[in-house]
Amino acid sequence: PPPEPKKGGVVMDVAAGQLPNAKDEKALVSALRSWIASQGVRDISVGDLGKFFDAHEAFKLKKWPGGGIKKAVKNSGELLKWYKATAASPAPRIGLGDTAIPSITSTDLCDSLKQWLLSTNRSQVNMSELLKFYECYPQFKNVRFDTETGVLIDKTEGKGSGIKKCLEGYTSLRWCPDQGHGARIELVRNPVEHDLVRALHAWLLSHDKTEIGADELEPFWATRDDKPSGPELKKLCENSSLLTW
């Protein structure tokens, strides 16, 4: 599998590795946490899990009900908590843990969509086929981005998913309007890379490195006349097909 990137560093995007799917406990826990939070509550009864499965059909597997769900929750660390049945609550409950739920960004969506296309050997996907993507990444199934700003909004607000807006400025994917067969998203295999990104990528290769901490780049900066700020370097990597932040 590809190496884990260091915190605050860059790593070459090898576009490989096992994608999360409906059979993974981590994917189940992530989707369940997001769903509980979206209901505006801190915990739910196991009797409410039917509603969760209706919203995330990819997890509607016979192995999850009962002990399967309980095992996944107990293995989640501080992400979710399992509460035994009591006199006041005759059915067990599942609650949000102490770990904060990270906010989903438009870059998260684009990065995941790019990885999904690469992993399935596809160069494009019609908007009507995105259900296949959502089955692998259920955390994006019920999210919506503002069609004017690309900012995450409540799924009941506005019209459309806002994916078109999310793709603006993302160099590895592009939006293709409807030409009679429906709008689609295409993978840009050779996006125009920033000169600094190409130079850093070449420098990593020349030093036989696949990753480096952002605070370890002084030898590279010594070869350059330009040195962007941390946020600027992060943005360049996020929009690159050569490097990943």
Side-chain angles (χ1 to χ4, degrees), residues 7 22-23 90 95 106 128 138 156 161 169 176 194 201 210 221 231 243:
K7 184 177 181 180
K23 296 180 181 178
S106 58
S128 60
T156 61
S161 62
C176 299
H194 192 280
H201 180 260
T210 58
W221 298 132
L243 300 173

Side-chain angles (χ1 to χ4, degrees), residues 102-116:
S103 177
I104 294 175
T105 67
S106 58
T107 300
D108 294 331
L109 171 66
C110 292
D111 285 344
S112 298
L113 185 52
K114 169 189 167 185
Q115 293 288 5
W116 178 75

Side-chain angles (χ1 to χ4, degrees), residues 6 10 15 19 34 46 49 54-55 73 75 102 105 111 119 123 130 145 158-159 169 178 189 222-223 228 230 235 245:
K6 296 179 181 179
V10 293
L19 290 172
S34 297
V46 293
L49 284 173
D54 288 340
V73 170
N75 287 343
T105 67
D111 285 344
S119 70
S123 61
L130 279 182
F145 297 90
K159 297 180 180 180
D178 187 358
R189 294 193 177 274
T223 69
K235 186 65 175 179
W245 183 264

Side-chain angles (χ1 to χ4, degrees), residues 13-69:
D13 183 2
V14 295
Q18 187 67 35
L19 290 172
N21 59 61
K23 296 180 181 178
D24 291 335
E25 284 187 354
K26 288 183 178 180
L28 170 71
V29 169
S30 175
L32 184 53
R33 288 179 73 217
S34 297
W35 183 81
I36 292 175
S38 72
Q39 306 305 300
V41 297
R42 291 288 304 175
D43 61 88
I44 63 166
S45 166
V46 293
D48 295 324
L49 284 173
K51 300 175 185 177
F52 166 71
F53 289 129
D54 288 340
H56 297 274
E57 293 188 359
F59 294 107
K60 195 178 289 187
L61 305 175
K62 292 181 179 179
K63 63 181 293 186
W64 289 124
I69 286 282

